């Protein structure tokens, strides 16, 4: 593709660009779940279920989410925990430096929109989990949000409150570049 940027992003970065803080944390939670390090707790909550295998190689956001789940939490609580907020701020700064997010006015750049569109064309939503690698599950969740959660990790997503009655990964909280409260940070000076 001649107009598509050649930037290589991790799934949690793609998720932040597509759906904001909640989407990025959802990808981190699913990554930990696929490693056996996070499971659903009481209805609508998540909790650690052990040490994350290969934790040294995990992205900072994923490590922060694992640490933050020392006590079971729902998504809103998880987004409000300090380490998660700091990791999201660092991730957002990296995407600003890469030219994919703007600080003023806050939002995605044209390059980010082109990249997301290109990725969606290259990686359509799988119809089921069979034959789909863990990496492709994460990228699908990053690109397609709730539809991918329901298709690829339905029982965990529902029990953990990522979709269904407990909430959705794509709704309920502001975008990373939007205003409001509930764990969403805005880019720029406060």
């Amino acid at each position: 593709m001649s107009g598509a940027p050649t930037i290589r992003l991790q799934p949690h970065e793609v998720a932040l660009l597509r759906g904001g803080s909640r989407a990025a944390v959802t990808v981190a939670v699913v990554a930990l779940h696929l490693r056996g390090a996070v499971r659903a707790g009481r209805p609508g909550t998540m909790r650690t279920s052990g040490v994350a295998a290969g934790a040294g190689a995990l992205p900072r956001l994923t490590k922060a989410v694992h640490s933050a789940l020392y006590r079971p939490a729902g998504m809103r609580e998880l987004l409000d925990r300090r380490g998660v907020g700091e990791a999201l701020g660092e991730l957002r700064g990296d995407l600003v430096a890469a030219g994919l997010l703007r600080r003023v006015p806050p939002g995605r750049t044209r390059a980010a929109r082109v990249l997301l569109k290109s990725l969606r064309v290259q990686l359509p939503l799988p119809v089921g989990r069979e034959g789909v690698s863990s990496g492709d599950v994460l990228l699908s969740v990053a690109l397609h949000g709730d539809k991918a959660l329901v298709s690829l990790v339905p029982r965990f997503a529902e029990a953990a409150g990522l979709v269904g009655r407990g909430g959705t990964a794509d709704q309920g909280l502001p975008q990373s570049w939007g205003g409001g409260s509930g764990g969403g940070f805005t880019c720029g000076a406060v």
Side-chain angles (χ1 to χ4, degrees):
M1 278 181 230
S2 60
T6 57
I7 299 169
R8 183 134 173 101
L9 298 176
Q10 296 295 316
H12 60 282
E13 294 169 316
V14 171
L16 187 98
L17 286 174
R18 180 198 54 81
S21 297
R22 186 179 181 117
V25 170
T26 297
V27 167
V29 166
V30 172
L32 290 165
H33 171 70
L34 294 175
R35 290 173 170 262
V38 167
R39 63 183 171 145
R42 295 182 325 267
T45 66
M46 301 154 277
R47 57 184 237 143
T48 60
S49 57
V51 176
L58 293 176
R60 180 166 189 250
L61 178 60
T62 306
K63 289 179 193 176
V65 165
H66 188 259
S67 294
L69 288 172
Y70 64 93
R71 280 192 341 248
M75 183 58 78
R76 285 185 186 268
E77 292 171 281
L78 186 56
L79 284 163
D80 284 338
R81 294 200 173 156
R82 183 177 179 183
V84 173
E86 290 171 355
L88 285 166
E90 182 179 298
L91 180 59
R92 204 169 289 106
D94 292 345
L95 292 172
V96 167
L100 297 171
L101 283 180
R102 291 185 313 268
R103 288 194 191 276
V104 179
R108 289 182 291 240
T109 64
R110 182 181 184 288
R113 290 188 301 275
V114 168
L115 178 66
L116 289 172
K117 183 177 181 180
S118 173
L119 287 172
R120 281 188 201 102
V121 168
Q122 294 172 32
L123 219 164
L125 180 64
V127 293
R129 179 70 204 270
E130 190 174 323
V132 180
S133 71
S134 293
D136 284 345
V137 168
L138 296 178
L139 194 50
S140 290
V141 170
L143 284 170
H144 304 287
D146 287 352
K147 291 176 184 175
L149 288 169
V150 169
S151 176
L152 302 172
V153 287
R155 286 187 296 261
F156 172 72
E158 174 115 20
L162 301 177
V163 295
R165 292 180 56 167
T168 70
D170 295 334
Q171 298 172 357
L173 291 176
Q175 298 283 338
S176 62
W177 50 84
S181 60
F185 288 11
T186 58
C187 295
V190 176

